[in-house]
Amino acid sequence: MATSRSGSSSSSTTPRSSSSVEEFQQVLNERKRKRMASNREAARRSRMRKQKQLDDLMGQVSQLAHENNQILVNINITTQIYLNIEAENAVLRAQMAELSTRLQSLNEINDFINSKNGVFGYDHPNNYEAAHDHHHHQVNDDTFMNNPWGCFDGNQPLIASADMIMY
């Protein structure tokens, strides 16, 4: 009887054992299938995150490229304004040099007229009036030749302003 028990128990265990192996294989296959599905889902989410990061970075690149273009436009405009102002300053410097030269010449003429050894031979500007009082303030060619600036005081320095000179 012992042999039949062991035989029957062995034959009954074998089908159970193969059933257990099949069940175990099914459980393993189910776990593997779930793991693969989970991995696929994780990979899909990872690809989506990477795509979103790439889209965000592309948006930033586009925005920065637009900002760089705006900066370049502003630099070009500012450079053009600077060059225009530099050109205008060069013209103004040249005009100032010319006006300074003219003023210096006029002051030299004024100094020469005011000098005691001037062309008019008068020691003092009032002597001109005294010397010509006998003409009853008539203006003739001789008077003009002696003092072409009849209204000119002679003691006043010549002062010119930019408003007085037409360019």
Side-chain angles (χ1 to χ4, degrees), residues 28-50:
L28 285 181
N29 287 341
E30 184 64 23
R31 284 183 187 170
K32 184 177 179 181
R33 188 186 61 74
K34 285 181 181 179
R35 189 171 54 248
M36 286 176 64
S38 175
N39 285 347
R40 273 194 293 275
E41 182 60 27
R44 186 186 67 79
R45 285 192 310 263
S46 176
R47 285 190 302 273
M48 287 177 61
R49 275 193 311 272
K50 286 181 181 179

Side-chain angles (χ1 to χ4, degrees), residues 107-162:
N107 281 332
E108 287 173 2
I109 291 170
N110 188 32
D111 290 344
F112 182 76
I113 291 170
N114 289 333
S115 70
K116 294 199 183 227
N117 298 329
V119 173
F120 307 121
Y122 305 116
D123 291 340
H124 192 270
N126 291 338
N127 289 345
Y128 172 79
E129 292 173 9
H132 289 87
D133 269 340
H134 65 281
H135 290 288
H136 305 289
H137 298 284
Q138 292 178 353
V139 177
N140 58 30
D141 289 338
D142 293 335
T143 305
F144 180 74
M145 291 306 290
N146 287 337
N147 184 359
W149 300 281
C151 64
F152 181 65
D153 182 349
N155 287 328
Q156 301 288 327
L158 291 176
I159 299 173
S161 73

Side-chain angles (χ1 to χ4, degrees), residues 17-34:
S17 179
S18 72
S19 166
S20 294
V21 169
E22 285 176 16
E23 288 175 8
F24 181 69
Q25 281 298 328
Q26 286 177 351
V27 169
L28 285 181
N29 287 341
E30 184 64 23
R31 284 183 187 170
K32 184 177 179 181
R33 188 186 61 74
K34 285 181 181 179

Side-chain angles (χ1 to χ4, degrees), residues 1-7:
M1 281 190 143
T3 41
S4 67
R5 264 187 188 178
S6 68

